[in-house]
């Protein structure tokens, strides 16, 4: 870990980390310049891998530290309460956004778009679905780095870096999963890449906002960590896993999820 990064304030670290996760999305989207299509089995394995990373990150990097912080802080509420309340609030938030923001999941007809009905193009709706997916990821990274300002034993720079690395790794296949299908539907390579990387730009925004929020209001820190976990689990269960099962490549998707979970768990335990 370089000295310049260590000396940055937590908000700047959150920005740098989420710019990295965005870069990994752009790198994955760049595969559209090499391939016009992607094998569905490969795509399902990649989606499963992303789901595994997000599930592992939700516990190892967010929920477990939230419970530890609540225990260290003490107070009248039991230690499990902030984690439970924040987790459910995160899921409810994504559910509400899901009902409002127009978006379309891969493999569905345009008429099956969710959210408020609009006349937007199919490509825009597809990108918005991944953008919605990326909000909790950026928020999770931002909250993890913002927690460093609280100077609690359970909040470590190495753990926050491990989370950013895990999210970045799974963002690579996500970028590919956006840009290549857009290319297959007739969009130019450059436009497909542009929309693919654009879906990840929400992460630096969410990351900085998350870091600022927990630094400004330290008592909400355990709730904020659990909130990000709940939002990520909602996305995994509502979007990522169902999409990985559409072509019935269930074994590949499951193996991908197991590998993703193992990679994120290893990163968090080894570095955190």
């Amino acid at each position: 870990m370089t000295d310049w990064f260590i000396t940055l304030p937590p908000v700047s670290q959150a920005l740098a980390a989420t710019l990295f996760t965005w870069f990994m999305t752009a790198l994955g989207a760049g595969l559209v310049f090499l391939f016009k299509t992607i094998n569905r089995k490969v795509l399902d394995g990649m989606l499963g891998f992303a789901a595994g990373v997000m599930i592992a990150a939700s516990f190892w990097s967010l929920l477990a530290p939230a419970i530890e912080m609540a225990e260290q802080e003490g107070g009248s509420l039991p230690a499990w309460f902030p984690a439970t309340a924040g987790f459910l609030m995160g899921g409810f938030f994504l559910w509400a956004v899901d009902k409002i923001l127009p978006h379309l999941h891969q493999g569905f007809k345009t008429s099956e778009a969710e959210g408020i009905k609009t006349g937007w193009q199919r490509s825009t709706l597809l990108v918005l679905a991944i953008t919605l997916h990326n909000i909790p990821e950026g928020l999770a990274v931002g909250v993890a780095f913002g927690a460093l300002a609280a100077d609690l034993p359970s909040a470590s720079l190495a753990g926050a870096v491990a989370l950013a690395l895990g999210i970045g790794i799974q963002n690579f296949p996500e970028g590919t999963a956006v840009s290549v299908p857009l290319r297959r539907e007739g969009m130019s390579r450059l436009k497909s890449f542009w929309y693919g990387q654009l879906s990840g730009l929400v992460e630096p925004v969410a990351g900085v906002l998350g870091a600022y929020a927990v630094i400004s209001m330290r008592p909400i820190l355990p709730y904020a960590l659990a909130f990000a976990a709940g939002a990520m689990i909602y996305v995994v269960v509502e979007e990522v896993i169902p999409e990985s099962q559409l072509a019935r490549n269930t074994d590949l998707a499951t193996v991908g999820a197991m590998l993703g979970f193992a990679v994120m768990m290893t990163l968090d335990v080894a570095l955190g």
Side-chain angles (χ1 to χ4, degrees), residues 90-225:
F92 177 77
F93 171 76
L94 256 291
W95 174 84
V97 175
D98 193 60
K99 298 301 179 186
I100 297 171
L101 182 70
H103 62 284
L104 177 66
H105 299 304
Q106 294 282 358
F108 288 85
K109 299 177 181 177
T110 306
S111 59
E112 296 177 289
E114 300 178 30
I116 296 173
K117 300 301 179 184
T118 69
W120 294 349
Q121 293 182 342
R122 177 180 174 85
S123 58
T124 302
L125 294 171
L126 287 169
V127 172
L128 283 175
I130 302 298
T131 301
L132 176 63
H133 178 163
N134 286 338
I135 291 174
E137 295 175 6
L139 184 64
V141 175
V143 168
F145 279 97
L148 300 177
D151 199 27
L152 294 170
S154 53
S156 69
L157 178 59
V161 169
L163 175 60
L165 282 174
I167 296 296
I169 290 169
Q170 65 97 35
N171 273 1
F172 182 86
E174 273 186 10
T176 306
V178 178
S179 62
V180 173
L182 290 177
R183 173 61 179 160
R184 189 172 61 243
E185 292 187 11
M187 190 174 287
S188 70
R189 293 184 189 274
L190 188 58
K191 275 192 174 182
S192 298
F193 167 76
W194 172 254
Y195 283 119
Q197 65 81 33
L198 195 63
S199 67
L201 273 180
V202 70
E203 290 192 9
V205 177
V208 169
L209 289 176
Y212 264 123
V214 297
I215 290 173
S216 303
M217 298 171 283
R218 175 172 166 168
I220 72 165
L221 182 51
Y223 294 90
L225 287 166

